[in-house]
Amino acid sequence: MTIWTDKVLLSRSAASGGGGGALVVGRREKAYVRAKLIGNDEDSHGKWYRCRNALAKKYNELLEQRKGLVGAVCAPGELFVPLRDKDGQVLHFIPVSPEGNCGFKTLALGMNLLKVGVPSDDLAEESGSLVTEISGRESSRDTLHERPRKRNTTDKVTGDLVRNKIRDEVAENRAVYIIEASKNEAFHYMVQQCSIDMFCRSVVNSGDERHWFGSKWGSMEVVAAARALGICIELYTYDRESKRLRMYESFARGPVKIGLLFSGVGDLGHFDLLVHPDPRKA
């Protein structure tokens, strides 16, 4: 049996010693690349990324170990660094390139790995309700009822597609965000600085000097992403004292959980991907 990749052509016996293995058969996969480090551990900027960079270095070590076996090629999500949260639950760390699209690319990567697919404009057969939690505050819950949408699981999700879905979500549900701004003082201030129309124009601009995930609307931007994609987005940080992950916010709009590991501080932050081994039962 033959396994095609962009870099090499392997037989299953050569790749996995004649056994099974999780390599993708019959389609082209990119060879894994080394995780990029952020900043310098010795400067004031780099100190915020020491834990993240340590994980990236561990990932690169695993990559080097794998090179001797299969040329550093494997199925998406097969190579990861296992971590535990404060409850002992295991999550898989997968690094994302540090650039202005990291938050959107992390969501896209998670959806592709989990084969979730983005919601389409078609409605599913069964009716249901949409309920969004915002930081666990009862006063910030909307109860917009609608039928759940079908999902397109065939096309690859990209960072740009995630941006477009967030824009469409906010544009089509302006009333939800206007109401939230009337109840949420912090979000009200953000909307004064970046109106709904300004946000919709800004969020689709990608690149280092453009719109970073969460840079305009903070947590409400994560809410919009969870609603737009129909997933549960969990935000984590790495606690250096306990050497474990700590989830500090969760925004549920679907059963599948995708974790974003935040490193850094403020606008200098970076997101990497955290995947539950079984994201539908986590």
Side-chain angles (χ1 to χ4, degrees):
M1 186 176 294
T2 298
I3 302 173
W4 288 93
T5 75
D6 285 347
K7 298 293 184 181
V8 293
L9 173 62
L10 303 170
S11 68
R12 178 165 290 279
S13 59
S16 56
L23 292 180
V24 175
V25 178
R27 78 184 212 193
R28 293 184 177 272
E29 295 292 346
K30 291 184 178 179
Y32 270 56
V33 296
R34 292 176 59 83
K36 294 182 180 179
L37 305 185
I38 304 175
N40 186 315
D41 287 350
E42 303 304 322
D43 60 34
S44 58
H45 176 63
K47 70 178 183 180
W48 296 103
Y49 300 101
R50 286 174 184 168
C51 295
R52 185 268 173 191
N53 285 344
L55 294 173
K57 290 176 181 178
K58 178 62 176 177
Y59 179 90
N60 289 338
E61 291 174 4
L62 295 174
L63 181 62
E64 291 300 320
Q65 294 172 13
R66 190 176 182 85
K67 278 185 178 180
L69 298 176
V70 293
V73 181
C74 53
E78 187 178 350
L79 189 63
F80 56 83
V81 178
L83 296 171
R84 291 187 182 273
D85 65 11
K86 63 181 182 62
D87 297 320
Q89 181 177 226
V90 175
L91 294 100
H92 297 169
F93 168 85
I94 301 175
V96 174
S97 178
E99 37 94 352
N101 298 317
C102 62
F104 303 98
K105 289 176 66 175
T106 300
L107 289 172
L109 175 60
M111 296 186 73
N112 289 327
L113 292 182
L114 301 176
K115 298 180 173 58
V116 178
V118 296
S120 70
D121 293 331
D122 298 325
L123 297 177
E125 295 298 325
E126 299 179 355
S127 61
S129 62
L130 179 152
V131 178
T132 300
E133 287 281 1
I134 304 173
S135 302
R137 292 178 289 104
E138 184 66 29
S139 62
S140 296
R141 177 184 298 181
D142 71 78
T143 55
L144 174 64
H145 295 276
E146 65 177 22
R147 290 174 59 187
R149 291 169 289 176
K150 294 180 180 178
R151 290 182 175 274
N152 179 358
T153 57
T154 57
D155 295 338
K156 181 180 179 180
V157 182
T158 65
D160 285 341
L161 178 58
V162 171
R163 288 176 179 272
N164 291 337
K165 298 297 287 187
I166 294 174
R167 176 201 59 195
D168 294 345
E169 154 61 26
V170 173
E172 294 169 6
N173 296 285
R174 298 174 66 95
V176 171
Y177 298 94
I178 291 173
I179 292 172
E180 179 60 26
S182 70
K183 299 183 295 182
N184 183 329
E185 184 175 350
F187 182 51
H188 175 74
Y189 174 79
M190 292 178 186
V191 172
Q192 285 185 321
Q193 304 301 311
C194 180
S195 68
I196 291 177
D197 289 335
M198 291 173 61
F199 177 85
C200 290
R201 291 192 297 269
S202 175
V203 72
V204 294
N205 293 327
S206 62
D208 286 340
E209 303 301 325
R210 299 296 180 89
H211 186 110
W212 292 21
F213 187 54
S215 62
K216 299 296 185 182
W217 279 8
S219 296
M220 279 302 299
E221 192 166 334
V222 187
V223 171
R227 285 175 54 113
L229 303 175
I231 59 176
C232 175
I233 299 177
E234 298 178 334
L235 299 180
Y236 288 84
T237 187
Y238 190 79
D239 186 87
R240 286 183 288 182
E241 292 186 4
S242 65
K243 297 183 179 180
R244 293 201 171 190
L245 297 168
R246 177 176 62 84
M247 183 174 68
Y248 59 92
E249 284 188 297
S250 177
F251 305 96
R253 173 54 183 93
V256 177
K257 298 180 178 181
I258 294 179
L260 274 63
L261 176 60
F262 180 78
S263 304
V265 57
D267 291 341
L268 299 177
H270 173 71
F271 291 105
D272 291 294
L273 179 63
L274 293 173
V275 177
H276 293 273
D278 190 343
R280 289 171 174 80
K281 295 182 180 180

